[in-house]
Amino acid sequence: MAAYSVTLIPGDGIGPEVAEATRRVLDATGIEFTWEVRDAGIEAQERHGDVLPEETLASVRATKVGLKGPITTPIGGGFRSVNVGLRHALGLYANLRPGATIPGVQSTFSDIDLVVVRENMEDLYAGVEFDTGTADAAQVIATVNGLSTRQVPADAAVSIKMITPEGSRRIVRFAFEYARANGRRMVTAVHKANIMKFTDGLFLRVAQEVATEYPEIQFNDRIVDNMCMQLMQKPGEYDVLVMPNLYGDILSDLVAGMVGGLGVAPSGNIGPDAAVFEPIHGSAPSHAGKDEANPTAMILSGALMLRHLGEQAAAERVERAVKAVIAAGEQVTYDLRADRDPAKAAGTAAMTDAIIAQL
Ligand code: NAD
């Protein structure tokens, strides 16, 4: 079998250390990878004059698969956001955020096994905004006030919420296809269609239509505020949750918090032509270069990548190995210890060695 070409973007801060850990684990599965290491972030800015150089994008376009470390957002204006840039340049419309309890990771909840599928391109997040007091805002407000019985105050700042039939269809299909491919039993559409009858109403209607194409998978829907309460009270009743961008932004962090937070939460951004996998945590600059960052979130992002490549068995081996090391509680980084004592903790490299030994 030919090696998989993957674009590896180490990123900033702790990124290079957790990226190296992940590369070592993935190589140790025995699956062959050709790693195209490319820059993005602060060093890319220094070296190429751009936080997201064209050659990095070109590499992901060619390999179709990226594995990315966190990027420090440079302070000050004028910088492209690497994450938004990647998402839009590559059409990565689906954000996949599994949240499953890992025994040994401190958390208020146990036995959580949820998957949040967030639409990545539309909704209030599309960036169509008009600032208070501007001529453009005045023009938008005048137009809206001429068309709507509800009046927008003249000094309002305005953000446009946009939901399309096609955007809704592809994200809900993605959720059902994910459910089917991964043996999940149910998809829940999350919305606020009782209030936003047209935008969220459209999303819900499309979700109901798509659901009929997958009779073997249960379907229901929940209003987003009720969904939050139900997740706190009976999370075991839910499985795969699919929703528009803004609700997905919030609920995916809620679910990450339910399973122990930043250090262990993986994600994928997936489109028709490419996919980029990354931990949800940032570059944690204060821990950079000290061999103390937790590599779990990025290694589990690597496991998600393996699943995306169809290497389910290798993905399971990696996930099992990570869980075994965390459950044993010996070779784990400081943040996974109850005492959070760096002196007694394993470093990034030692934890990675322990994971490789369990593969
Ligand atoms: P952060 O996630 O980098 O760090 C928050 C705290 O969480 C850290 O101080 C650290 O104690 C802990 N932490 C996070 N990841 C850890 C790990 N793997 N191991 C051990 N401890 C870990 O968030 P921040 O401090 O708000 O952001 C730092 C930088 O990262 C900023 O420039 C921010 O813009 C950027 N950021 C990037 C991404 C991304 O590229 N996807 C995501 C979030 C933040």
Side-chain angles (χ1 to χ4, degrees):
M1 169 110 196
Y4 292 105
S5 288
V6 173
T7 304
L8 183 67
I9 306 171
D12 298 316
I14 60 172
E17 293 162 78
V18 293
E20 179 55 23
T22 304
R23 166 155 63 171
R24 286 209 288 131
V25 170
L26 294 179
D27 281 339
T29 61
I31 290 174
E32 292 207 12
F33 293 97
T34 306
W35 301 101
E36 288 195 10
V37 181
R38 292 291 181 275
D39 290 327
I42 291 214
E43 278 193 27
Q45 172 69 28
E46 283 160 14
R47 243 181 279 172
H48 309 264
D50 191 347
V51 283
L52 182 56
E54 187 47 44
E55 65 168 49
T56 301
L57 278 174
S59 171
V60 185
R61 281 198 191 98
T63 62
K64 303 187 187 306
V65 190
L67 187 58
K68 174 186 159 297
I71 306 279
T72 300
T73 308
I75 311 280
F79 291 105
R80 270 208 291 171
S81 156
V82 170
N83 293 322
V84 175
L86 266 175
R87 209 178 292 160
H88 283 273
L90 301 170
L92 309 177
Y93 68 85
N95 182 231
L96 178 66
R97 290 268 297 260
T101 299
I102 302 178
V105 176
Q106 282 181 320
S107 157
T108 329
F109 292 82
S110 54
D111 296 328
I112 301 296
D113 187 8
L114 294 161
V115 178
V116 176
V117 175
R118 166 189 175 189
E119 202 286 325
N120 243 350
M121 319 280 274
E122 303 195 331
D123 201 2
L124 281 163
Y125 255 80
V128 183
E129 290 201 295
F130 302 93
D131 203 357
T132 178
T134 59
D136 289 351
Q139 208 176 325
V140 171
I141 290 167
T143 304
V144 170
N145 285 348
L147 294 170
S148 172
T149 51
R150 304 264 174 179
Q151 297 294 287
V152 179
D155 59 351
V158 178
S159 296
I160 303 289
K161 174 169 166 115
M162 51 179 122
I163 303 267
T164 66
E166 189 40 43
S168 303
R169 190 165 294 116
R170 69 181 178 177
I171 195 67
V172 177
R173 271 215 180 104
F174 178 92
F176 275 100
E177 289 293 330
Y178 179 89
R180 185 178 267 173
N182 291 279
R184 313 289 306 212
R185 70 192 151 85
M186 184 166 80
V187 171
T188 301
V190 182
H191 61 86
K192 189 81 184 173
N194 54 331
I195 302 296
M196 278 163 280
K197 296 187 194 310
F198 297 142
T199 48
D200 284 14
L202 170 63
F203 178 82
L204 176 58
R205 214 165 50 245
V206 170
Q208 287 163 338
E209 276 166 30
V210 171
T212 62
E213 298 166 21
Y214 299 86
E216 80 280 17
I217 295 165
Q218 294 172 56
F219 172 75
N220 60 16
D221 71 275
R222 293 287 179 270
I223 293 170
V224 61
D225 41 343
N226 182 29
M227 184 78 255
C228 291
M229 188 160 68
Q230 301 238 341
L231 284 178
M232 295 301 104
Q233 291 183 327
K234 35 190 174 181
E237 291 190 5
Y238 296 92
D239 191 3
V240 177
L241 313 174
V242 61
M243 64 204 80
N245 209 334
L246 179 62
Y247 310 141
D249 184 41
I250 299 166
L251 261 76
S252 56
D253 265 29
L254 183 83
V255 169
M258 292 168 77
V259 300
L262 289 177
V264 296
S267 78
N269 291 288
I270 298 152
D273 304 317
V276 176
F277 298 85
E278 62 179 336
I280 69 162
H281 61 69
S283 56
S286 66
H287 297 286
K290 297 180 181 165
D291 187 38
E292 61 189 27
N294 183 355
T296 302
M298 187 141 180
I299 292 171
L300 293 179
S301 302
L304 269 188
M305 183 188 85
L306 286 172
R307 287 190 190 282
H308 176 77
L309 293 170
E311 298 288 353
Q312 311 291 348
E316 264 157 45
R317 280 170 61 214
V318 169
E319 287 162 358
R320 262 205 308 273
V322 167
K323 282 183 191 161
V325 169
I326 292 177
E330 293 294 327
Q331 295 296 316
V332 294
T333 47
Y334 78 94
D335 57 308
L336 291 173
R337 293 180 60 89
D339 59 12
R340 293 182 75 87
D341 184 352
K344 293 186 192 147
T348 312
M351 182 170 177
T352 306
D353 290 340
I355 292 167
I356 290 169
Q358 291 287 332
L359 278 174

